[in-house]
């Protein structure tokens, strides 16, 4: 018997679940999802099966033969949740559990109508990565245990259910309810299980790509993502054929805690990417690229998260380079570099979390999360790419995808594959330093761009430069503005802030990367004219990438802290559990 994932009770010596059959009902009044989850085994099994659960109440378990299955819920562990141990007789083909989620399930958010764009109907969405699937359904919640599934989801009439799966039609159920059917034929890790229910409308973007959103948002979403099909074509050139049939996207209400989530066949997206000028569609390039790096070939556990995210950032920037040229890609690398430096700074007392290969026994993956596996990981991939040569590396990436299709891999297996493809390459780039040492190796790839240097120079000397030069700034592209804001001195006076806002119209920006970078800078300097916009953002948006640094920046001054406390008291009940926890942790560090 062996547990192989520090975040799961999954035991690779026990019967392996091959697929799930789910019959679920969304109860918006009680805020619970419940019904039947059937675990179908590889081959007729017997003995003990340990499943992960968190906050689930399990009513009953029976075999396919109708025999009751004794089960036992272990004690609540703060990170893992409760182990559900089932014991069943020989010849058992499947076990069906009748269960319900808790209203506080971390993997689900139940929104009131007021929290949606349409304000008429409630909304439900899941977010299972890294280890929240167990709060949605009992399962072997490890990426090593892949499953296919079929699902029926019963929801109130008027709402539409979508999943990270293939739709198989819908039909009226009992009075006032409708059942939506889905099938996910490809085996996926549990963290890619995804469901959303709301007032939704779909708009086709190509023969295999459709965007879903609330009716009030659908037109803007269809416009913003019109270029998705050409991204799919680019990604296929890079990685090989798209293996998931359709690539659809869902724009969620603003409380969605991430920028995007690569749920198979249905990327989930924050509405903050709807900048109105397509300037944030690299999030789509990123989630799309996960269809290969992450979904086709998955990290085996959260300790190998860089294999998902580092590769995907690398891919995202290759797509960007192909679509928008070398300079746009170089600016993206430059922006990432600054974010990486800040994260390395933030984790200076936890250097072990800045390795690529991490040890996460006893550590919540949500607490280990940072841009390090993204930006350091992507730089490691570039180091390999440069050492191998771009063409040879592209061939390697395709063969890596082919060799590990629908499998979950560790850093060690990846390294063995690199070694067999390019003997000596790992040593040449000093892979051990990248993988097992904290921080960024001295030899890390650099990305040079004349424009990046120019903007950096302008930013560093801007405070003392004559304001007449500001006129040109109004014409800058969004990524140029972002580089400039990142490189400005951190300390600005109220006149500087006013001048900056006037030159770049920052407070009114629809691009949330720019808007938050500005609000953080202004708030950290106690610039009160920006507070109202900061308050509005924190009341509306749940994306942790924006909420966390903004609370952090407000914490720097007494007036900012007062605002933060007031907003948090008001907004916390409507935040996603993850956002509430992240913001709360930041505020707990405020001086009294
Ligand atoms: N898979 C991640 C989101 C995630 C990571 C959710 C870990 C839960 C745990 C997704 O692909 C992602 O990286 N999103 C980024 C987008 C960006 C890098 C373009 C985000 O949300 O900001
Ligand atoms: Zn990602």
């Amino acid at each position: 018997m062996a547990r192989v994932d520090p975040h799961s009770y999954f035991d690779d010596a026990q019967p392996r679940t091959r697929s799930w059959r789910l019959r679920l009902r969304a109860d918006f009044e009680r805020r619970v999802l419940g019904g039947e989850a059937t675990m179908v085994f590889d081959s007729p099994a017997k003995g003990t099966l340990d499943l992960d659960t968190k906050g689930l109440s399990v009513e009953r378990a029976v075999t396919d033969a109708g025999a009751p299955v004794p089960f036992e819920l272990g004690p609540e562990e703060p990170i893992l949740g409760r182990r559900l141990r089932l014991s069943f007789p020989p010849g058992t083909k499947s076990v069906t559990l009748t269960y319900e989620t808790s209203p506080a399930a971390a993997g689900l958010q139940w929104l009131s109508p007021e929290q949606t764009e349409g304000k008429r109907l409630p909304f439900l969405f899941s977010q299972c990565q890294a280890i929240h699937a167990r709060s949605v359904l009992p399962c072997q919640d490890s990426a090593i245990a892949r499953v296919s599934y079929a699902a029926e989801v019963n929801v109130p009439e008027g709402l539409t259910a979508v999943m990270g799966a293939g739709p198989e039609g819908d039909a009226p159920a009992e009075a006032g309810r409708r059942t939506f059917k889905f099938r996910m034929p490809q085996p996926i890790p549990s963290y890619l299980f995804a469901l959303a229910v709301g007032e939704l409308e779909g708009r086709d973007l190509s023969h295999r790509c459709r965007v879903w959103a609330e009716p009030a948002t659908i037109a803007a979403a269809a416009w913003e993502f019109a270029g998705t099909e050409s991204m799919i074509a680019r990604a296929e050139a890079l990685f090989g054929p798209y293996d998931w049939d359709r690539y659809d996207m869902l724009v969620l209400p603003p409380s969605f805690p991430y920028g995007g989530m690569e749920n198979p066949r249905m990327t989930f997206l924050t509405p903050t990417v709807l900048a109105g000028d397509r300037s944030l569609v690299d999030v789509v390039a990123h989630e799309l690229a996960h269809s290969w790096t992450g979904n086709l070939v998955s990290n085996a556990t959260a300790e190998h998260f860089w294999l998902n995210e580092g590769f995907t950032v690398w891919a995202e920037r290759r797509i960007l380079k192909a679509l928008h040229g070398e300079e746009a890609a170089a600016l993206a690398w430059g922006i990432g570099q600054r974010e990486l430096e800040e994260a390395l700074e933030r984790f200076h007392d936890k250097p072990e979390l800045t390795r690529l290969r991490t040890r996460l026994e006893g550590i919540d993956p949500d607490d280990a999360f940072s841009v390090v596996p993204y930006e350091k990981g992507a730089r490691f991939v570039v180091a390999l790419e440069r050492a191998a040569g771009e063409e040879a590396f592209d061939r390697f990436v395709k063969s890596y995808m082919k060799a590990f299709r629908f499998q979950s891999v560790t850093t060690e297996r990846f390294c063995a594959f690199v070694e067999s493809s390019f003997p000596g390459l790992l040593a040449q780039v000093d892979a051990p330093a990248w993988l097992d040492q904290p921080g960024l190796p001295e030899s890390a790839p650099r990305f040079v761009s004349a424009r990046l240097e120019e903007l950096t120079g302008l930013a560093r000397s801007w405070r003392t430069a004559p304001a007449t030069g500001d006129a040109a700034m109004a014409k800058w592209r969004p990524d140029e503005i972002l580089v400039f804001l990142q490189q400005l001195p951190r300390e600005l006076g109220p006149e500087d802030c006013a001048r900056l806002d006037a030159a770049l119209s920052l407070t009114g920006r629809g691009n949330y990367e720019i808007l938050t970078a500005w609000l953080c800078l202004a708030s950290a300097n106690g610039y009160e004219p920006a507070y109202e916009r900061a308050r509005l953002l924190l009341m509306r948006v749940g994306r942790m990438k924006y909420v966390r640094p903004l609370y952090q920046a407000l914490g720097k001054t007494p007036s900012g802290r007062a605002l933060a406390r007031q907003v948090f008291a008001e907004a916390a009940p409507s935040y996603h559990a993850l956002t509430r926890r992240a913001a709360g942790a930041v505020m707990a560090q405020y001086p009294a």
Side-chain angles (χ1 to χ4, degrees), residues 127-132 191-192 256-262 270 280 282-287 290 305 308-309 312-313 316-317 339 365-366 369 371 374-375 513 543-546 578:
Q127 167 55 49
C128 290
Q129 199 182 13
I131 56 167
H132 301 298
Y191 78 82
L192 291 177
F256 189 62
Y258 290 97
M261 177 65 212
E262 66 272 27
T270 165
L280 296 177
D282 47 341
V283 177
V284 173
H286 178 97
E287 305 313 335
H290 272 307
F305 186 52
N308 275 17
E309 298 302 342
T312 300
V313 169
E316 169 199 333
R317 301 216 173 118
E339 290 176 351
D366 289 336
F369 181 85
V371 304
Y374 289 77
E375 295 292 343
E513 292 290 325
R543 184 174 179 185
M544 290 189 283
K545 183 182 181 188
Y546 301 146
L578 295 176

